[in-house]
Amino acid sequence: MHTRAFSSQHARSTAVGPMLCLIGAVLLSGCVQQHAQVKGAWQEGVPRNQSFTRVLIVGVSPDVNQRCKFEAFMASQLKSESVKAIRSCDAVTKKDPLTLESIEQAVASAQADAVLATNLVSKEYETKEGGSRDTRGSAAYKATDAGFAPGYYGVYGVPVVYGEFATAAAITTVQGEVRVASRLYETRNKTLIYTLDTHARSLESTDVTLSDIAAAIANQLRSAGLTH
């Protein structure tokens, strides 16, 4: 009887082993799926043989702490032997508020040949023809176009007004999933070259969020040949 009991216990422990391995594999697979995914798109008519070596990184956010933290993550992912990644928080004379004038000064002082601007709110701003959507923002603000880029954002992705942008949820406070938009501009003619749409799910922490998004953006720019 004792031998039979031992054999039964041994059989149960033997069966549990592969089951634990299977559970571990499923959990590991889930962790892998947490990484951010990014889609890139060239702007129509721009040359596709361009590559940049001095990139000014701009985190577009009314929260200066969030902005500077993201820029640090982005710079660490983008820099290489051939690419110098410059954080706007290090290059501007005044970090807060974020303005077009300060970014243009940073471009000149850093001799940047490109600007990578990432909108750090989990929301997309789109408008439709024919007035099918209210584009006025809040009652106290009205979004207007300016500079060389259409929509709510002007040159280098800097907001023309902060209205709705300032009250939208930041990527570091959104639970579950976030979607952010990035734009790469060449500085000679202030031309939008490439856009990136980055989507991340099952976020564990602020640092994981920022690191995964920054890594996905940097890898996509290398895949497109825009950096090396």
Side-chain angles (χ1 to χ4, degrees):
M1 296 293 293
H2 179 72
T3 302
R4 229 185 341 255
F6 174 81
S7 299
S8 176
Q9 182 179 5
H10 178 71
R12 286 196 300 271
S13 63
T14 303
V16 167
M19 184 179 297
L20 290 176
C21 291
L22 177 61
I23 293 173
V26 171
L27 291 175
L28 181 60
S29 175
C31 292
V32 171
Q33 293 176 356
Q34 291 178 3
H35 292 299
Q37 298 179 343
V38 60
K39 294 181 180 179
W42 290 90
Q43 292 300 289
E44 186 176 353
V46 301
R48 300 195 178 189
N49 58 348
Q50 301 181 70
S51 183
F52 303 99
T53 59
R54 297 182 66 85
V55 182
L56 181 69
I57 298 168
V58 181
V60 182
S61 171
D63 184 336
V64 67
N65 293 324
Q66 179 193 166
R67 168 188 162 200
C68 294
K69 188 171 186 178
F70 172 78
E71 289 179 2
F73 276 97
M74 194 69 246
S76 68
Q77 295 291 338
L78 194 61
K79 68 179 181 181
S80 66
E81 293 182 358
S82 58
V83 175
K84 182 175 179 59
I86 306 146
R87 300 186 303 174
S88 78
C89 285
D90 294 334
V92 297
T93 55
K94 185 179 180 181
K95 296 180 184 179
D96 192 24
L98 174 65
T99 65
L100 175 58
E101 290 76 15
S102 66
I103 297 303
E104 289 184 324
Q105 291 171 2
V107 168
S109 64
Q111 297 182 336
D113 57 4
V115 172
L116 176 65
T118 300
N119 176 17
L120 298 178
V121 293
S122 184
K123 186 171 183 177
E124 293 180 353
Y125 292 94
E126 297 177 353
T127 59
K128 294 182 179 180
E129 297 291 337
S132 57
R133 173 178 171 177
D134 185 355
T135 60
R136 294 174 298 171
S138 69
Y141 297 91
K142 179 174 177 60
T144 58
D145 294 347
F148 297 85
Y152 282 73
Y153 297 93
V155 181
Y156 300 141
V158 178
V160 179
V161 295
Y162 279 90
E164 189 178 355
F165 175 88
T167 59
I171 61 171
T172 53
T173 62
V174 175
Q175 300 296 318
E177 66 179 85
V178 296
R179 187 182 298 273
V180 299
S182 303
R183 299 170 177 83
L184 184 73
Y185 299 82
E186 60 90 3
T187 60
R188 185 178 58 180
N189 297 310
K190 301 179 182 178
T191 302
L192 178 61
I193 301 295
Y194 196 75
T195 61
L196 304 97
D197 180 31
T198 308
H199 185 208
R201 295 189 179 190
S202 303
L203 307 173
E204 297 176 356
S205 69
T206 297
D207 286 354
V208 170
T209 302
L210 298 179
S211 179
D212 282 358
I213 289 174
I217 292 171
N219 290 336
Q220 182 63 29
L221 290 174
R222 293 189 186 99
S223 297
L226 290 161
T227 61
H228 296 287

